[in-house]
Amino acid sequence: MMTRARPQMTSNEFLRRAIETTRVGFKANRLRSVQVQEFEAQAARVLTGGRLGHASTTDAEIDRTALLHRALWAARHGRPVGMAFPATRLDAAVADPKLSGLSSAELTALGEEMIAIIRQADPRAMVELEIRRSREHMQIQNSEGGVVSAPSSRLTAEVWVERRRGDEVLVMFDTLKSAQLTDGPGSHRHCAERIAQGLIWAAQPARVQAGQPPIILSPAAVAVLIQPLIAALSGARVRNGSSPLAGKRGQLLFDPRLTLVDDGTLRHRPNGGAVDHEGVPTQRTVLIRNGVLENYYYDLRTAALSGAASTGNGRRELLAPPRPLPTNVVVSAGPTGLKTMIASLDEGLLVEQLLGANPAAALRGPFSRTIGLGYKIERGRVVGYVKGAALAGNVYDMLNRLVAVGDTPIWVGDICAPYIQVAGLNVTV
Amino acid sequence: MVANVAERMVEALQNSPAPFADIRVERREITHLVFRDGEPETIDLRVDQGGIVRALLPGGSWGIVTFTRLADFKRRVRQAWEAAQASARSDEPRSPYPGLAPVPPVIARVEARLEQDFRAVSPDDKCALAADYGAQLMNGHPCVRSARVTYQDSFTQVHYANTEGTCLYQERPTIDLQLAVVARDGEHVQQVERSLSLAAGFEVVQHRTDLVQKTLSLARALLKARPVQGGRYPVVMDPALAGLFAHEAFGHLSEADFIMADPAAQAMMTLGRRFGPPQLNIVDDGDVPGLRGSLAYDDEGVPTHKTYLIRDGELVGRLHSRETAAALGEPPTGNARATSYRHPPLVRMTNTCIEPGDGGSLPDMLADIRLGVYACNWLGGETTLGDFSFVPRWAYMIRDGQLAEMVRDVTFTGNVFETLAHIDRIGSDFAWDDSSGDCGKGEEGLPVCDGGPHVRVQDVLVGGK
């Protein structure tokens, strides 16, 4: 631990991450592989004369001094930034020790249960599934007296279901992420049951016509479509001019029923914890409140450059330096049940899954995506599935024209969203 | 890397409890620089090193161990075998497992030959290069509000050995330069990026004012572009987009792992089935020097080569790992690739292209189009085995046989089989796309390359207003 400042250094930070993951993989409904991963990395950052440099490695032969010197070289070329490492002292405990301790046999049992639920709904379904349990220990030490020990664990299941009839392939996928074993919503069982329900709805193909039908977006579709909005709320994009939300804090930009929160404190979520990857305490940041843009999210460096404070969103992907990234994004629920939404439509489309790239151009709002899976609604009922049509619109316009907001939000990866009925989107066939 | 890696790997495999096991050890040194508005934003040096052991049991169960500490390989070999045993379920019926397709053991050393090795270029010079391109972009036109220059070089050393006697060493360099601007014209803002990525040395990123000019002119043109009207159109794709189409719409369907255990899928992809017109030839070729998808041996030690996927319009081949080749009774093709030591190899593409045909030049293809779209380059694409979606980087309307106004926010959506069958002209030109962009299948991206001639497709669904 570096506590003494050397003449040419102002401050420094060391991070060590040790991650152990057990994964079980199923292909064509059968267990095919068990994989164990052990990963250890160290990273150093140096702030010298206000200039920041970063170096990282998995090579245990590169000791701290050597890593520090690499970071110091990098800092020579850095741009001055008025940031400081936080003096957080934390010795955290894992949220769910039972989850941490799941063995490959137990993970296999979870996977088999999911496959059984799906295949009971449709025996033709071919399931590819990976379930993994990760244990991570993140340690941070910096020259400001910050000492953090933050163990965490997470369960992830990625399900990919194919149902073939000749050349017609129906694909459904879902990602479950959790930091806490649970029986109800958010459980592996619930994830499989939702896919099973989808397969039952998709018993028959249906036709969709071009136009602007009433559209109900599933939580998965909402999660995909709001990604450009979440990206636009990054303090880094606000600062570099690519975000359309720059300079608009305090303005009513969306339907007043839209509230969007980034919450790093949720302990049952994999991206939740007491601190971020810089040791800054996490917080619940209201990004949009009742349609009004309230906050952006920041890491230490971006906050310093923007004259703001870190919101605890400094996150590192494996060996990369921290940057502002969302943690857990929650779209607030409304009063309307899905059954009520469906029953209210004489003709409409429930969009379950969307495909398509998410290029930087989408940041400004326009999108055009392929409907990977949708359900046709006629006279208040789901009558069959549709796929292959294109759905286009502008996400900012769409969030200004909400028709109804669902009452049961569901976690899709790290985003929690309800079903939302919208207007004004174009379907092309 | 630690000393004697190869010897230690071979030694550890000698007493492998599993009948087949392999070890791959990689060390990757990366310099990653991001300059924003001419000033340094991220200066990052990384050394990413680690290993992976795979063990295979006779029933087809795999055990895999990955690690960052390069010590005690014997323990890792045993650990992988224990994981394989955990994945072999005794209560499942044992159907015969064909194992891995036989390949001759290889002992080889493949070193990179770079004109100007970027490892010998000083970090100061790399920063100066990035700063200079940043300044050129910022001063390039008044509409430029912000410029981002990303420079990355990566040198990977890979050791591979297996229980059959293969022992390989390969070096895989890549260099990337990405130029991006945010351009504004009143209320209208566009973000544009052009890039370059090759298995080459520092020489390819120097004096690239051509890339600067392409970035600036695309930004200026897109600021004036209107959103495309959605509908069905004849579409002419430029070589880069045609290559992406081959990759996304067809290449992924050719990766044999998806059909390996699925008889219905095998029926769909029957060898000899007609997929497109007789002029259509699609290949995957890992043996093209200098391209980012090229490699001498794949990550199972199988030499790469040119594999015809579609010849004269008919399905003639698939891309394989040793396991999928054995499962389908076909020869291995050298397409088992891993993104890093953290993952086992999957069946992946290398450099995928549509070969040139007899369809003439771009003007020839435009001549008889009354209303259509000419789409160029790509921003991204996605496929779910049958349905695909992709986004060109820029596009023009075609009106009465001529290129007309630029349009934006274009997406193509389609079904592979319908779209391939609607190809009616395959150009006589050809180019590989040398821009950046990884193929995603699983958690990390893999460098690939795509290419082709200009290609014309009738009746394509274009999403838009």
Side-chain angles (χ1 to χ4, degrees):
Chain A
M1 179 165 138
M2 305 291 297
T3 47
R4 270 173 290 125
R6 302 216 176 109
Q8 71 274 30
M9 288 191 285
T10 305
S11 55
N12 56 68
E13 168 206 74
F14 281 102
L15 175 120
R16 173 172 235 105
R17 272 178 109 163
I19 307 176
E20 187 256 301
T21 305
T22 298
R23 327 175 161 227
V24 299
F26 295 78
K27 260 179 122 60
N29 307 327
R30 291 185 45 191
L31 179 66
R32 291 299 314 284
S33 69
V34 171
Q35 180 175 344
V36 174
Q37 284 180 306
E38 291 173 21
F39 176 89
E40 283 177 71
Q42 339 173 50
R45 289 197 294 174
V46 164
L47 260 175
T48 170
R51 296 172 189 274
L52 185 66
H54 171 271
S56 62
T57 184
T58 60
D59 184 353
E61 306 274 309
I62 294 177
D63 67 13
R64 281 195 173 193
T65 311
L67 200 60
L68 203 64
H69 279 113
R70 288 172 153 247
L72 191 58
W73 168 78
R76 267 184 40 228
H77 296 273
R79 173 194 205 162
V81 55
M83 64 173 263
F85 298 121
T88 314
R89 298 186 77 88
L90 173 76
D91 194 358
V94 134
D96 188 344
K98 186 151 176 270
L99 192 156
S100 283
L102 286 177
S103 67
S104 69
E106 287 166 315
L107 293 172
T108 302
L110 295 181
E112 288 175 336
E113 194 182 344
M114 291 179 75
I115 291 173
I117 291 170
I118 291 167
R119 297 195 70 212
Q120 183 163 49
D122 192 336
R124 286 166 304 182
M126 292 285 256
V127 183
E128 188 173 320
L129 169 63
E130 186 185 86
I131 295 198
R132 55 184 186 269
R133 185 267 299 128
S134 280
R135 286 191 276 258
E136 174 171 345
H137 192 195
M138 180 178 74
Q139 293 168 289
I140 306 176
Q141 291 172 347
N142 62 46
S143 53
E144 312 313 290
V147 180
V148 167
S149 169
S152 62
S153 55
R154 64 169 67 198
L155 179 72
T156 306
E158 282 164 350
V159 195
W160 182 276
V161 179
E162 269 179 34
R163 190 198 65 197
R164 296 173 182 278
R165 289 186 203 150
D167 280 354
E168 178 75 355
V169 181
L170 192 68
V171 175
M172 302 182 66
F173 47 87
D174 204 351
T175 303
L176 167 76
K177 292 188 188 180
S178 179
Q180 203 165 65
L181 286 173
T182 175
D183 266 338
S187 70
H188 66 287
R189 215 169 283 122
H190 187 236
C191 173
E193 282 161 4
R194 290 194 57 244
I195 292 177
Q197 171 65 74
L199 286 168
I200 291 167
W201 275 350
Q204 297 300 329
R207 305 199 68 131
V208 69
Q209 281 154 327
Q212 293 200 355
I215 301 254
I216 301 172
L217 297 170
S218 73
V222 172
V224 154
L225 290 178
I226 65 170
Q227 272 164 17
L229 169 59
I230 296 172
L233 287 162
S234 155
R237 293 193 182 88
V238 166
R239 187 176 158 69
N240 73 32
S242 61
S243 168
L245 299 176
K248 295 188 177 170
R249 278 171 67 159
Q251 292 184 25
L252 177 68
L253 301 174
F254 306 97
D255 188 297
R257 285 169 289 183
L258 181 70
T259 292
L260 195 76
V261 170
D262 179 279
D263 194 344
T265 68
L266 299 173
R267 296 206 74 213
H268 64 286
R269 300 300 313 162
N271 285 351
V275 294
D276 70 3
H277 297 166
E278 299 187 280
V280 173
T282 53
Q283 61 184 57
R284 180 178 180 276
T285 307
V286 180
L287 302 169
I288 297 166
R289 191 192 299 271
N290 302 325
V292 175
L293 175 62
E294 198 165 288
N295 281 299
Y296 310 116
Y297 55 86
Y298 295 101
D299 64 356
L300 282 170
R301 182 181 176 276
T302 316
L305 288 168
S306 310
S310 170
T311 51
N313 286 86
R315 302 187 68 78
R316 307 174 196 238
E317 290 161 321
L318 277 187
L319 287 168
R323 61 190 183 104
L325 285 172
T327 58
N328 307 298
V329 176
V330 180
V331 180
S332 56
T336 315
L338 175 62
K339 289 197 172 82
T340 310
M341 280 189 208
I342 293 174
S344 75
L345 294 184
D346 196 48
E347 183 164 3
L349 193 59
L350 167 54
V351 175
E352 181 59 49
Q353 276 170 355
L354 291 168
L355 312 176
N358 207 353
L363 212 53
R364 318 240 34 108
F367 67 86
S368 178
R369 288 194 171 243
T370 306
I371 297 175
L373 178 63
Y375 303 104
K376 183 77 194 297
I377 297 166
E378 283 172 9
R379 288 189 291 278
R381 286 173 47 247
V382 168
V383 297
Y385 74 92
V386 302
K387 62 196 264 293
L391 185 71
N394 181 300
V395 79
Y396 293 98
D397 290 341
M398 183 186 92
L399 293 171
N400 254 301
R401 300 174 64 166
L402 303 184
V403 175
V405 180
D407 60 2
T408 313
I410 294 172
W411 284 98
V412 178
D414 298 309
I415 298 175
C416 188
Y419 284 85
I420 298 183
Q421 186 179 339
V422 295
L425 300 186
N426 277 294
V427 173
T428 320
V429 297
Chain B
M1 199 159 356
V2 292
N4 306 325
V5 167
E7 290 94 323
R8 287 168 46 218
M9 286 162 64
V10 169
E11 198 190 356
L13 288 169
Q14 260 156 18
N15 294 315
S16 160
F20 175 84
D22 63 11
I23 309 182
R24 177 166 42 91
V25 171
E26 283 185 14
R27 180 185 177 87
R28 188 172 303 185
E29 301 210 15
I30 298 170
T31 298
H32 180 83
L33 312 174
V34 179
F35 275 63
R36 176 92 51 187
D37 304 338
E39 298 243 13
E41 178 181 271
T42 301
I43 315 279
D44 182 20
L45 300 175
R46 296 185 213 172
V47 176
D48 191 7
Q49 143 178 314
I52 176 171
V53 177
R54 299 189 306 166
L56 178 63
L57 296 184
S61 303
W62 286 96
I64 298 160
V65 175
T66 76
F67 44 90
T68 45
R69 282 190 186 262
L70 301 184
D72 203 355
F73 291 151
K74 283 186 192 161
R75 176 169 77 91
R76 299 300 186 184
V77 168
R78 174 151 221 101
Q79 201 180 2
W81 175 66
E82 285 163 0
Q85 292 186 304
S87 83
R89 304 275 296 172
S90 55
D91 55 341
E92 277 184 352
R94 282 259 156 269
S95 51
Y97 175 68
L100 303 179
V103 294
V106 178
I107 298 182
R109 190 177 171 89
V110 181
E111 287 174 5
R113 274 189 292 275
L114 301 174
E115 203 179 293
Q116 191 184 357
D117 193 332
F118 45 73
R119 292 173 295 173
V121 175
S122 81
D124 290 332
D125 288 345
K126 294 175 184 175
C127 283
L129 178 108
D132 182 51
Y133 284 132
Q136 286 186 45
L137 289 170
M138 289 301 286
N139 299 326
H141 194 270
C143 73
V144 174
R145 284 292 181 273
S146 174
R148 187 191 78 233
V149 176
T150 305
Y151 167 89
Q152 177 164 304
D153 63 50
S154 153
F155 197 93
T156 307
Q157 298 172 289
V158 186
H159 287 274
Y160 175 81
N162 65 26
T163 41
E164 296 167 353
T166 290
C167 186
L168 279 173
Y169 171 74
Q170 298 181 78
E171 293 178 345
R172 296 176 182 158
T174 43
I175 191 164
D176 275 63
L177 179 66
Q178 295 162 13
L179 306 183
V181 294
V182 174
R184 183 180 216 115
D185 182 8
E187 266 304 305
H188 196 193
V189 179
Q190 280 291 329
Q191 189 165 335
V192 156
E193 182 182 295
R194 297 303 307 270
S195 63
L196 168 67
S197 180
L198 292 166
F202 199 68
E203 71 282 356
V204 301
V205 298
Q206 293 183 292
H207 315 300
R208 297 309 300 253
T209 43
D210 60 320
L211 201 62
V212 172
Q213 287 313 314
K214 280 185 193 172
T215 310
L216 291 170
S217 58
L218 181 59
R220 295 172 62 190
L222 275 174
L223 279 175
K224 302 199 191 83
R226 307 277 284 281
V228 73
Q229 176 114 18
R232 288 195 170 265
Y233 296 94
V235 169
V236 176
M237 301 191 251
D238 83 340
L241 185 57
L244 178 83
F245 170 68
H247 175 109
E248 282 300 334
F250 189 74
H252 280 298
L253 276 180
S254 296
E255 292 166 347
D257 47 6
F258 100 94
I259 62 174
M260 199 179 93
D262 188 344
Q266 287 176 46
M268 180 163 90
M269 299 294 284
T270 322
L271 296 182
R273 178 177 171 171
R274 173 156 295 283
F275 271 85
Q279 317 90 288
L280 182 65
N281 296 291
I282 298 183
V283 303
D284 181 87
D285 190 352
D287 202 15
V288 184
L291 298 183
R292 63 200 304 272
S294 296
L295 59 170
Y297 298 91
D298 75 0
D299 292 321
E300 292 186 311
V302 179
T304 61
H305 60 261
K306 179 168 163 173
T307 304
Y308 272 90
L309 301 176
I310 292 185
R311 197 192 317 246
D312 303 327
E314 292 180 352
L315 185 70
V316 297
R318 287 182 259 269
L319 303 178
H320 284 295
S321 64
R322 292 182 63 187
E323 183 177 47
T324 64
L328 293 178
E330 294 168 8
T333 57
N335 286 87
R337 301 182 64 194
T339 49
S340 74
Y341 63 83
R342 287 181 281 276
H343 300 283
L346 301 177
V347 179
R348 306 298 296 266
M349 289 175 265
T350 59
N351 306 300
T352 312
C353 72
I354 297 176
E355 290 195 322
D358 58 4
S361 65
L362 174 62
D364 295 333
M365 285 191 211
L366 298 178
D368 56 344
I369 295 178
R370 200 186 59 76
L371 180 66
V373 176
Y374 174 49
C376 302
N377 210 285
W378 52 274
L379 284 172
E382 193 175 338
T383 183
T384 58
L385 310 174
D387 290 323
F388 66 84
S389 173
F390 51 79
V391 182
R393 201 175 287 272
W394 71 90
Y396 301 90
M397 294 308 296
I398 303 166
R399 296 184 191 280
D400 299 319
Q402 305 278 334
L403 290 183
E405 76 279 15
M406 187 177 273
V407 283
R408 58 180 170 86
D409 306 332
V410 178
T411 303
F412 299 125
T413 287
N415 174 276
V416 175
F417 307 103
E418 281 172 22
T419 306
L420 284 170
H422 287 153
I423 291 176
D424 73 341
R425 292 285 278 264
I426 297 172
S428 315
D429 59 327
F430 184 83
W432 287 109
D433 175 25
D434 60 6
S435 54
S436 285
D438 288 347
C439 175
K441 175 177 167 179
E443 280 164 63
E444 295 174 38
L446 189 70
V448 292
C449 188
D450 309 319
H454 279 90
V455 171
R456 189 169 81 182
V457 188
Q458 294 294 335
D459 200 36
V460 178
L461 180 58
V462 176
K465 282 255 170 275

